[in-house]
Amino acid sequence: MNFLDELKELSKQASNLSRGKIDINVERKIRENVFEIMEELYGNATTTNFIKTTKLMYRDWSQSYSEDIRFGRDEDADKAMVKLSTFEWIVSLPSVQEMRTSLGEG
């Protein structure tokens, strides 16, 4: 299965998930945004740039999450956790792992 097919399938599976810490509609919108970002990135980048960009995204989003935790911004931290967990599911897809392997990063 290619990346876009895997992304679509994962999006369907995640559509009704809820961590229960924030409004389910907000959580759903966050997940939809992450899926849209990743689809857009994939469609507009080479494999090398896709992998490099996902590394930068993870670093940036993780740092934001850490700052939310450190400064006691609980609601922002909960939203960031939804974003990060969705992102981690996506970059764990077999097609992304294949991209990494093809670049010698697997």
Side-chain angles (χ1 to χ4, degrees):
M1 196 179 287
N2 72 34
F3 176 73
L4 294 177
D5 291 338
E6 288 178 342
L7 191 67
K8 183 186 251 183
E9 183 61 31
L10 182 59
S11 177
K12 277 192 257 181
Q13 292 173 4
S15 65
N16 289 316
L17 293 177
S18 174
R19 293 184 70 236
K21 294 196 173 202
I22 57 176
D23 181 89
I24 191 166
N25 293 319
V26 172
E27 192 167 336
R28 188 175 293 131
K29 186 63 180 168
I30 292 168
R31 282 202 176 94
E32 287 173 7
N33 286 341
V34 175
F35 284 113
E36 287 175 21
I37 289 167
M38 296 302 286
E39 182 177 358
E40 190 75 23
L41 174 62
Y42 180 77
N44 290 304
T46 63
T47 300
T48 301
N49 288 341
F50 177 82
I51 296 300
K52 285 181 179 179
T53 302
T54 58
K55 287 179 183 179
L56 293 172
M57 289 167 69
Y58 183 77
R59 185 181 71 195
D60 181 60
W61 290 356
S62 295
Q63 183 176 348
S64 293
Y65 172 68
S66 295
E67 289 173 1
D68 291 338
I69 294 286
R70 184 175 51 213
F71 296 115
R73 298 185 297 244
D74 294 338
E75 185 175 349
D76 289 340
D78 290 337
K79 290 176 183 176
M81 179 49 69
V82 171
K83 181 169 43 172
L84 268 176
S85 63
T86 305
F87 179 79
E88 288 174 344
W89 296 336
I90 294 169
V91 297
S92 296
L93 289 170
S95 59
V96 177
Q97 297 308 309
E98 287 175 17
M99 286 182 233
R100 284 197 169 123
T101 301
S102 74
L103 297 172
E105 297 185 20

